[in-house]
Amino acid sequence: YRLLEVDNRCVASCLLQMRGLVTSDDVVHSWAVPSAGVKVDAVTGRVNQVSLCFLYPGVFYGQCSELCGVNHSFMPICVEVVSGKVFGDWLVYNHDKNTNAGGGDVSKGGSLLGVLSSLIGYVFFGVLKATILLGKVYFLWWYYLGYYVVYVPVSYVFIGTFDFVWWAVSTCVAFGSWLSWFVMDPIDATMFALFYLSSEILSLIYYCVTSPIMASVWLAKGVWKVVCVLVSVPFMTFDAFMDCMSSFSSNETKEYVVRRISKNTKEFFDVLLSYYSKK
Ligand SMILES: [Cu+2]
C-alpha cells in the first residue's frame, strides 16, 4: 500500500492509555504517526517515551521523520489499533510464542496428574466464585427485604406520627392563645378568626380547583420530556460519534472517553491476570 505497509505491524489498543518506548540501534530516526498526533525521536543509546491513546480502531500509517540515510524514504510505520480484548490476546499470544521458542515446551506436555490438578483447581475456583455470587445475592435479598418491609414502613409511620402530633400540639397551642385573646378582646379575635378561616377556605378552594390542572401540566411535562429524550437519542449518538471522530470538544465526549479508557484498562488487566494465574 503506497510503500507504507510493513511486514510486522505494531499492534495497539484503542481507548487505552499506553506508553510507547522508542529507541534505535543504528542512527537517529523518528517514529511519527501524524494521524495519531505522535512524533518521537529514536536515538541510539537512549529510550524516549511517548504517551499513546488511540480514540478508534483502524490502521494508522506513518514514516520515519528524521533524515537517517539513503533509505530514509523507505521506512514505513504501521500501527494496527484494535480493541482492548484483541490487544490483550495478541500480547499473550506473542508472550507465549516467545517464551516457548526460547525455553522449549515448558508449559506443554503436562502429565495426567497435572491436568487433573488443574481441572480440580478450576472446578474448585468455579464453585467458590459461584458460592460468593450466591452469597452476595442472598445478602442483597435480605437487605432489600429489610429495607422495604421494615425500614421504610417503620420510618414512615414514625415520621407521620411525629408530624401529626406536632401539628395537633401546635394547633392546640395556637387555639389556646387565640382563646386568651378572645377573652381579652372578643371583637378583634372574632374578626381575626373570620379572616383566618376565610383565607383557609379560599386556599382550599384554590387547591381543589388548580391541583387537577397542575397535575395535568406536570404529567404533560413529563410526557414531553420523555418524547424529547427519545427523539434526541439518535441525534446525540450521532453528535457524540462525530465529536469522537474529530476532537475533544464537548465534556460529554471527554467523560465517555475517560470512562471507556478506565473500562478498557480494567479489561486489559483482567486478560493479563487470567494469563498469569493460569501459569
Ligand atoms: Cu529516516
Side-chain angles (χ1 to χ4, degrees):
Y1 174 61
R2 289 195 286 187
L3 287 179
L4 283 172
E5 197 52 75
V6 297
D7 54 359
N8 196 8
R9 284 176 172 180
C10 172
V11 179
S13 168
C14 74
L15 291 171
L16 186 69
Q17 189 64 51
M18 286 172 298
R19 187 169 64 132
L21 298 177
V22 180
T23 190
S24 162
D25 67 353
D26 41 30
V27 294
V28 180
H29 302 280
S30 183
W31 196 82
V33 185
S35 47
V38 176
K39 181 179 277 185
V40 56
D41 280 353
V43 183
T44 316
R46 181 188 160 85
V47 179
N48 278 338
Q49 64 169 322
V50 63
S51 180
L52 295 170
C53 189
F54 295 92
L55 290 184
Y56 46 92
V59 181
F60 293 73
Y61 291 104
Q63 284 170 313
C64 177
S65 298
E66 187 66 57
L67 269 174
C68 56
V70 285
N71 285 326
H72 171 63
S73 321
F74 310 105
M75 314 192 67
I77 294 160
C78 179
V79 186
E80 194 173 330
V81 179
V82 295
S83 71
K85 175 81 179 65
V86 173
F87 178 65
D89 289 345
W90 176 82
L91 213 62
V92 165
Y93 170 75
N94 273 280
H95 191 250
D96 265 348
K97 213 170 66 177
N98 292 337
T99 48
N100 287 344
D105 49 351
V106 179
S107 61
K108 282 177 186 163
S111 62
L112 185 68
L113 197 72
V115 171
L116 208 68
S117 68
S118 69
L119 191 71
I120 289 170
Y122 191 70
V123 170
F124 176 74
F125 277 111
V127 169
L128 195 71
K129 264 187 196 166
T131 314
I132 289 170
L133 190 74
L134 278 178
K136 266 185 192 166
V137 170
Y138 189 67
F139 173 78
L140 276 179
W141 191 83
W142 275 107
Y143 174 77
Y144 281 112
L145 185 81
Y147 184 76
Y148 285 111
V149 175
V150 181
Y151 176 73
V152 170
V154 167
S155 65
Y156 267 80
V157 166
F158 183 75
I159 291 168
T161 313
F162 182 78
D163 278 358
F164 178 73
V165 169
W166 180 254
W167 175 80
V169 168
S170 55
T171 308
C172 284
V173 167
F175 188 68
S177 65
W178 180 80
L179 266 183
S180 68
W181 186 22
F182 183 73
V183 169
M184 304 228 276
D185 196 347
I187 296 163
D188 271 9
T190 310
M191 287 303 282
F192 172 79
L194 277 176
F195 273 117
Y196 178 78
L197 284 176
S198 61
S199 77
E200 285 291 296
I201 288 163
L202 270 179
S203 68
L204 189 72
I205 290 166
Y206 178 78
Y207 177 78
C208 287
V209 169
T210 55
S211 58
I213 298 167
M214 298 296 267
S216 322
V217 167
W218 178 78
L219 196 71
K221 258 186 182 169
V223 170
W224 175 244
K225 233 181 198 172
V226 170
V227 168
C228 282
V229 166
L230 282 180
V231 167
S232 66
V233 162
F235 290 103
M236 272 158 64
T237 312
F238 180 73
D239 226 38
F241 185 70
M242 291 310 284
D243 264 358
C244 183
M245 299 295 272
S246 51
S247 67
F248 284 117
S249 53
S250 74
N251 283 332
E252 289 86 6
T253 314
K254 266 185 213 165
E255 216 179 288
Y256 172 76
V257 167
V258 167
R259 226 181 301 135
R260 279 307 299 257
I261 287 174
S262 59
K263 188 172 162 284
N264 283 356
T265 308
K266 193 192 162 296
E267 276 174 13
F268 176 66
F269 281 129
D270 280 349
V271 168
L272 291 194
L273 202 68
S274 70
Y275 174 67
Y276 281 109
S277 62
K278 260 186 246 157
K279 283 236 141 186

